[in-house]
Amino acid sequence: MSIHQACGLFHLSETVYYYKAKSKDDDHIIEDELRSLAEVHTNWGFWLMFYNLRMNHYTWNHKRVYRVYKNMKLNMRRKYKRRLPARVKEPLLQPLMPNVTWSMDFMHDSLQFGRTFRSFNVIDDFNREALNITIDTSLNSRRVIRELDQLIDWRGKPERIRVDNGPEFIANALAQWAKLHKIELQFIEKGKPQQNGYIERFNRSFRTEILDAFSFDNLRQARLLTHAWMWSYNNERPHSSLKYHTPVQFMLKYGKLHQPNSPCEFPTFQHDNINNSLKSIILNTQE
């Protein structure tokens, strides 16, 4: 019986019958080529390397090259974006009372010699009062929680806090803290900063009047001037959105807070030293 007949009898392709396994001894050539590419192009993935080999007239198919590529453990870690839950659009309404809704956000700037720092800003949406500006080189979620705990100690806790989708705000640590204190974290939609318009407007004032207006040699200078500016912002700067009252005046007229254990009529940001007023600091700097 001929080979053709025998293959037909066993339903076997003649190509399979005549196939001879190719030696894999030349895999070292593929390894050398991939290694040289990986050393030069550290950000190249498999397909860039494979098509570069094709451009250099190597005819290995992608399955073989990929097998060698995996054996060499050249696989690049794929970066996945953290999938966020759906954010419900809510209108930006002014609360009728203090401590109903706070807004918080981060800003970035740098010192005179180039070192970057961040500021963690918190305001009360009711009267746009600056409750906190923390300045440091690193502000993670645990630092945010610590600052909020200190703020709640003298101000009282809000019903909700409006935030964007920054990594510090979507962290599990902050979510657990909010659940423990029964505070709702109200996230804005991704890419919609106008939904957090109160803090964005506050950030613009802080940027224009402090961060862009002064050059800082160190963090102490930035903190000192920011501390003085917060008092001026709350007590001296009229707001058109508040009927040209300052935040403190607006609080006194429309939303007093009763705190029996507080020496103040209501808890608000105060000066530690009257000599550290914004005017005196600026005048001393100019001299």
Side-chain angles (χ1 to χ4, degrees):
M1 184 181 292
S2 66
I3 294 177
H4 176 75
Q5 291 174 329
C7 288
L9 180 63
F10 288 101
H11 302 286
L12 182 67
S13 171
E14 290 184 49
T15 304
V16 174
Y17 175 80
Y18 285 110
Y19 174 79
K20 295 185 180 299
K22 297 179 181 178
S23 174
K24 296 182 180 179
D25 293 339
D26 58 346
D27 277 356
H28 69 276
I29 302 177
I30 303 177
E31 292 177 358
D32 293 340
E33 293 296 328
L34 291 177
R35 187 177 294 107
S36 62
L37 288 174
E39 290 174 353
V40 177
H41 306 286
T42 56
N43 293 325
W44 279 20
F46 167 73
W47 288 108
L48 285 177
M49 292 186 178
F50 174 74
Y51 283 112
N52 182 271
L53 294 177
R54 281 297 175 91
M55 290 173 58
N56 291 323
H57 309 292
Y58 291 107
T59 58
W60 306 301
N61 66 33
H62 68 279
K63 290 179 288 186
R64 183 179 180 186
V65 176
Y66 187 63
R67 173 178 55 79
V68 178
Y69 178 85
K70 288 199 302 182
N71 290 339
M72 295 177 66
K73 297 183 179 180
L74 295 177
N75 307 59
M76 295 185 66
R77 178 178 175 269
R78 181 173 294 180
K79 295 181 180 179
Y80 293 95
K81 291 185 177 180
R82 184 170 182 177
R83 190 176 298 276
L84 299 175
R87 305 304 190 192
V88 180
K89 181 180 179 180
E90 296 188 16
L92 186 62
L93 301 176
Q94 182 177 5
L96 299 178
M97 296 174 58
N99 280 11
V100 174
T101 304
W102 292 357
S103 295
M104 58 187 188
D105 197 9
F106 285 99
M107 296 182 68
H108 298 77
D109 203 34
S110 59
L111 301 176
Q112 189 171 4
F113 59 88
R115 187 180 184 184
T116 60
F117 65 87
R118 307 176 75 194
S119 71
F120 171 55
N121 306 344
V122 185
I123 67 169
D124 191 322
D125 289 0
F126 170 70
N127 63 333
R128 318 296 197 276
E129 183 181 356
L131 303 180
N132 177 79
I133 299 181
T134 301
I135 292 179
D136 212 332
T137 54
S138 177
L139 294 168
N140 55 25
S141 60
R142 298 196 178 277
R143 178 67 182 278
V144 168
I145 291 173
R146 192 171 73 199
E147 296 296 331
L148 289 175
D149 283 335
Q150 294 176 359
L151 184 56
I152 288 174
D153 283 344
W154 65 265
R155 178 73 176 194
K157 71 175 183 179
E159 296 179 11
R160 67 185 65 89
I161 303 177
R162 184 183 290 109
V163 295
D164 59 19
N165 296 280
E168 298 84 4
F169 297 148
I170 63 176
N172 292 331
L174 185 62
Q176 294 172 2
W177 175 87
K179 184 178 180 181
L180 178 65
H181 289 78
K182 297 181 180 179
I183 298 175
E184 175 190 356
L185 291 180
Q186 185 177 330
F187 292 94
I188 65 174
E189 291 181 284
K190 189 176 181 181
K192 298 294 180 74
Q194 64 272 17
Q195 295 180 8
N196 204 6
Y198 293 145
I199 192 71
E200 293 292 340
R201 179 63 182 85
F202 174 83
N203 289 348
R204 191 180 79 175
S205 298
F206 182 47
R207 172 71 65 186
T208 303
E209 299 178 18
I210 296 298
L211 297 182
D212 288 350
F214 300 93
S215 179
F216 306 111
D217 293 329
N218 51 59
L219 291 180
R220 181 183 174 278
Q221 291 180 355
R223 290 167 180 157
L224 181 65
L225 195 57
T226 297
H227 194 268
W229 179 82
M230 285 176 63
W231 189 91
S232 176
Y233 181 90
N234 290 336
N235 294 271
E236 299 176 345
R237 188 182 189 277
H239 290 249
S240 58
S241 60
L242 303 178
K243 301 179 181 180
Y244 290 98
H245 292 86
T246 66
V248 170
Q249 289 173 342
F250 191 82
M251 175 79 80
L252 285 169
K253 188 172 182 178
Y254 296 103
K256 288 185 179 180
L257 287 176
H258 177 61
Q259 294 286 334
N261 298 325
S262 175
C264 304
E265 185 174 11
F266 60 89
T268 186
F269 178 84
Q270 300 293 333
H271 263 319
D272 292 335
N273 187 340
I274 193 63
N275 295 323
N276 287 337
S277 66
L278 182 63
K279 182 178 179 180
S280 64
I281 293 175
I282 293 176
L283 291 177
N284 291 336
T285 303
Q286 291 175 349
E287 290 176 359

